[in-house]
């Protein structure tokens, strides 16, 4: 005969008794439950009937404890038995109830012998469960390794992405500062131009006003003289006849000496057209003396980490230390290279590079698709057309390189690179003032190219600025400035 489970539950925790105790009022509780109730209420009362317990330490209810322990053991055995049945059920086929003994290699699932003879799996290759476990574990281990590699790769990308965010912020700060600095220099030029023009206007204003004041003073003196002559002549007209005749000769001579005709005042106004005529164009033309145009601008996002570029992106040198740039796909990673910003795909272009004391450089062009993350020779077959200076020798980087015999008294400190894309020629000249041809590449370019620079020297290579020419074209009643 078994008791209902409810009779074996503690009224406080509503679970099967653990170390039950019996109070004097015949109610039973878990020892810990009644202890907590007494600590909370501050009095030793039965949690059910509120009758005061006669003992500070209640007596253990041995019979109830043994019965509860028996129920707990029975529950654990029942649970273990259920688990065994479930496990055994999992080892049997759901369709036929037979024990699973084979593994279908086509459907990737365990099957029984009946399944193997059925239409579903009749012609499928199978293996034993032991072999399948080894194969599946191996495949899953390989997948796990692949996933781990992907996870490691993603962690690196995640870290690099955060570093790239910081780099972008630093790029923005540096670019913003350079923009402000260049505008400050332009503002200074404009302010100086404005001051000079206002000063010129002020000088002309003072000069014209001073001249007019002198003229006004001169006219005032003449007016005073005329007024005196007028009064004298009027008095003579009112004199006696004999007196008028006696004084006529002197009066006539006095009146003939007076200025006749209107006073002319030409050129007295400010020459406004001189100050305002084509003012914006004149200012812009004068600004050209303070503005430099560089035909090639270096792309810092392609520069090798050991290269240092100038703030205006017109010079580079090798530092030997990485400045912490991100590993972006556009960047050269294997050698100290950098390319220009604008791709060239037609027309004629040229730029002059000041090499100075640099004794280790390559200059020329490279195709836009040339690889940047592998070691590769700078040769035409790899998409590079370059002139090299190393070890005191000039070499055209053909296949194999062509050593150039250059008889020159003074060292070549400037190289002029001239590209005619449509004709397929790339020429190198001595840009030190002699304009002497050093070498010409002839090629049929199949894609756009970029100006290319390499150096392994701490002496900078600098792209020289060129002057800007302004020409006015006049056409049938209209003028166009280019």
């Amino acid at each position: 005969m078994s008791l209902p489970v409810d009779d074996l539950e503690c009224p406080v925790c509503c679970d099967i008794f653990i170390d039950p105790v019996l109070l004097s009022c015949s109610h039973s509780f878990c020892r810990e439950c009644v202890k907590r109730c007494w600590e909370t209420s501050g009095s030793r009362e039965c949690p059910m009937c509120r009758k005061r317990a006669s003992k500070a330490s209640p007596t253990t209810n041995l019979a109830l404890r043994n019965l509860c322990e028996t129920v707990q053991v029975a529950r654990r055995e029942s649970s273990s038995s259920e688990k065994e049945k479930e496990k055994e059920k999992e080892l049997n086929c759901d369709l036929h109830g037979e024990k699973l003994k084979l593994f279908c290699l086509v459907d990737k699932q365990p099957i029984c012998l009946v399944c193997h003879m059925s239409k579903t799996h009749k012609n499928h290759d199978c293996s034993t469960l032991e072999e399948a476990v080894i194969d599946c574990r191996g495949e899953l281990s390989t997948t796990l390794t692949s996933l781990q590699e992907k996870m490691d790769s993603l962690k690196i990308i995640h870290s690099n992405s955060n570093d790239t965010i910081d780099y972008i912020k630093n790029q923005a700060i540096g670019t913003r500062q350079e923009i402000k600095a260049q505008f400050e220099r332009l503002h200074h030029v404009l302010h100086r131009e404005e001051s000079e023009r206002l000063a010129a206007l002020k000088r002309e204003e003072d000069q014209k006003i001073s001249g007019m004041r002198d003229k006004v003073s001169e006219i005032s003196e003449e007016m005073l003289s005329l007024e005196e002559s007028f009064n004298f002549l009027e008095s003579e007209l009112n004199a006696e006849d004999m007196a008028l005749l006696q004084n006529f000769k002197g009066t006539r001579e006095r009146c003939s000496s007076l200025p006749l005709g209107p006073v002319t005042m030409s050129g007295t106004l400010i020459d406004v057209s001189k100050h305002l005529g084509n003012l914006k164009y004149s200012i812009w033309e004068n600004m050209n003396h303070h503005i430099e145009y560089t035909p090639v601008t270096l792309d810092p996002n392609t520069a090798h980490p050991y290269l240092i570029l100038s703030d205006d992106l017109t010079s580079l040198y090798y530092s030997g230390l990485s400045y912490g740039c991100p590993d972006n796909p556009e960047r050269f990673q294997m050698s100290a290279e950098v390319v220009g910003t604008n791709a060239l795909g037609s027309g004629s272009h040229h730029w002059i590079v000041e090499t100075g004391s640099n004794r280790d450089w390559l200059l020329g062009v490279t195709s836009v698709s040339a690889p940047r993350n592998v070691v590769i020779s700078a040769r035409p077959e790899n998409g590079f057309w370059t002139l090299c200076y190393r070890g005191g020798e000039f070499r055209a980087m053909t296949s194999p390189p062509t050593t150039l015999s250059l008889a020159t008294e003074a060292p070549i400190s400037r190289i002029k690179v001239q590209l005619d894309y449509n004709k397929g020629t790339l020429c190198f000249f001595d840009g030190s003032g002699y304009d002497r041809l050093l070498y010409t590449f002839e090629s049929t370019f199949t894609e756009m190219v970029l100006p290319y620079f390499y150096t392994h020297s701490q002496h900078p290579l600098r792209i020289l600025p060129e002057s800007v020419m302004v020409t006015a074209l006049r056409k049938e009643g209209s003028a166009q400035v280019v």
Side-chain angles (χ1 to χ4, degrees):
M1 181 177 180
S2 60
L3 293 174
V5 177
D6 292 346
D7 293 338
L8 302 179
E9 292 180 350
C10 171
V12 175
C13 64
C14 298
D15 201 353
I16 294 179
F17 287 104
I18 298 177
D19 191 14
V21 294
L22 181 65
L23 303 183
S24 58
C25 59
S26 299
H27 291 127
S28 294
F29 305 93
C30 296
R31 185 179 296 277
E32 288 299 321
C33 291
V34 72
K35 182 179 180 182
R36 283 197 302 271
C37 289
W38 288 355
E39 290 175 352
T40 303
S41 62
S43 59
R44 289 184 288 105
E45 296 178 347
C46 174
M48 293 186 64
C49 64
R50 301 298 179 186
K51 183 176 181 181
R52 187 174 179 81
S54 58
K55 296 181 180 180
S57 179
T59 305
T60 300
N61 191 336
L62 294 176
L64 183 59
R65 184 181 71 179
N66 294 337
L67 183 59
C68 289
E69 290 177 352
T70 301
V71 171
Q72 291 282 26
V73 171
R75 279 190 173 184
R76 287 193 294 270
E77 290 178 353
S78 176
S79 176
S80 176
S81 176
E82 290 295 329
K83 289 181 180 179
E84 290 293 331
K85 290 180 180 179
E86 289 294 330
K87 186 175 180 180
E88 185 177 352
K89 185 178 180 181
E90 290 176 357
L91 297 177
N92 293 334
C93 176
D94 293 336
L95 293 177
H96 308 107
E98 298 291 329
K99 190 174 182 180
L100 299 172
K101 292 187 176 181
L102 300 174
F103 185 79
C104 179
L105 299 178
V106 177
D107 295 324
K108 304 297 182 182
Q109 64 181 28
I111 59 175
C112 66
L113 294 177
V114 179
C115 290
H116 183 52
M117 301 301 296
S118 67
K119 293 181 179 180
T120 306
H121 301 279
K122 186 173 183 181
N123 296 321
H124 292 177
D125 292 333
C126 299
S127 67
T128 63
L129 294 181
E130 292 78 6
E131 293 175 344
V133 167
I134 295 174
D135 294 340
C136 289
R137 286 189 185 278
E139 183 177 342
L140 292 178
S141 296
T142 303
T143 303
L144 181 63
T145 302
S146 176
L147 291 177
Q148 185 63 48
E149 291 175 352
K150 290 182 179 179
M151 176 62 73
D152 295 340
S153 176
L154 286 176
K155 287 180 179 179
I156 294 173
I157 295 173
H158 183 270
S159 177
N160 291 340
S161 298
N162 289 327
D163 294 340
T164 302
I165 291 174
D166 295 335
Y167 185 81
I168 291 172
K169 291 180 179 178
N170 292 331
Q171 270 189 316
I173 291 173
T175 305
R176 189 178 297 112
Q177 291 174 346
E178 183 61 21
I179 290 174
K180 289 183 177 180
Q182 294 204 23
F183 268 97
E184 282 294 329
R185 289 191 286 270
L186 293 177
H187 290 162
H188 177 72
V189 173
L190 285 172
H191 289 157
R192 186 173 62 187
E193 180 81 13
E194 178 187 12
S195 299
E196 291 176 355
R197 290 180 176 272
L198 290 176
L201 175 60
K202 179 62 175 173
R203 286 194 301 271
E204 185 174 356
E205 176 190 9
D206 294 341
Q207 180 184 356
K208 293 299 174 69
I209 290 176
S210 177
M212 286 304 301
R213 283 176 178 167
D214 293 341
K215 182 65 71 174
V216 168
S217 178
E218 181 182 343
I219 293 174
S220 297
E221 292 178 359
E222 292 180 358
M223 289 176 61
L224 181 59
S225 177
L226 283 174
E227 185 178 359
E228 292 176 353
S229 298
F230 180 83
N231 292 335
F232 171 74
L233 186 58
E234 190 177 47
S235 64
E236 287 296 319
L237 288 173
N238 293 329
E240 296 291 337
D241 294 343
M242 185 55 68
L244 184 145
L245 293 175
Q246 290 176 343
N247 297 329
F248 176 75
K249 184 179 180 180
T251 301
R252 184 184 179 186
E253 291 176 355
R254 179 173 180 176
C255 291
S256 63
S257 64
L258 296 175
L260 300 176
V263 178
T264 59
M265 294 185 294
S266 61
T268 57
L269 300 181
I270 290 178
D271 189 356
V272 176
S273 61
K274 180 182 71 174
H275 297 285
L276 296 182
N278 284 325
L279 177 60
K280 295 179 181 178
Y281 172 76
S282 298
I283 294 173
W284 174 70
E285 190 176 30
N286 291 336
M287 288 284 288
N288 286 332
H289 300 297
H290 305 278
I291 296 174
E292 293 183 341
Y293 167 73
T294 306
V296 172
T297 300
L298 301 175
D299 186 354
N301 294 336
T302 67
H304 185 272
Y306 286 1
L307 286 181
I308 302 297
L309 308 187
S310 62
D311 291 338
D312 60 358
L313 306 179
T314 61
S315 68
L316 67 147
Y317 69 90
Y318 184 82
S319 69
L321 297 174
S322 175
Y323 59 94
C325 56
D327 184 13
N328 51 300
E330 302 86 0
R331 193 175 303 281
F332 287 95
Q333 297 292 342
M334 306 310 295
S335 61
E337 304 162 281
V338 65
V339 293
T341 301
N342 296 325
L344 310 176
S346 63
S348 179
H349 311 269
H350 77 272
W351 55 95
I352 299 176
V353 180
E354 185 177 64
T355 57
S357 301
N358 193 310
R359 295 292 180 266
D360 191 354
W361 50 260
L362 277 80
L363 301 174
V365 298
T366 180
S367 59
V368 293
S369 64
R372 303 182 183 184
N373 58 351
V374 295
V375 177
I376 188 171
S377 299
R379 309 288 175 82
E381 63 268 22
N382 297 327
F384 293 84
W385 297 266
T386 62
L387 181 71
C388 173
Y389 183 67
R390 181 175 294 157
E393 289 184 344
F394 285 92
R395 291 191 293 272
M397 298 304 290
T398 53
S399 297
T402 302
T403 301
L404 306 181
S405 299
L406 303 177
T408 176
E409 296 180 358
I412 298 176
S413 59
R414 292 183 179 182
I415 299 295
K416 179 180 178 181
V417 184
Q418 184 166 312
L419 168 70
D420 193 321
Y421 187 92
N422 298 334
K423 292 183 179 179
T425 60
L426 178 68
C427 302
F428 295 91
F429 295 88
D430 178 0
S432 302
Y434 304 100
D435 210 28
R436 179 178 48 149
L437 179 63
L438 304 178
Y439 191 81
T440 298
F441 283 94
E442 294 183 356
S443 176
T444 301
F445 301 112
T446 58
E447 59 179 314
M448 302 179 77
V449 296
L450 293 163
Y452 171 84
F453 305 83
Y454 163 91
T455 184
H456 206 273
S457 170
Q458 294 184 352
H459 296 283
L461 299 175
R462 187 169 73 96
I463 305 166
L464 296 181
E466 297 188 355
S467 58
V468 179
M469 183 175 62
V470 180
T471 305
L473 299 180
R474 299 188 179 276
K475 299 181 181 179
E476 298 181 359
S478 64
Q480 181 182 7
V481 179
V482 295

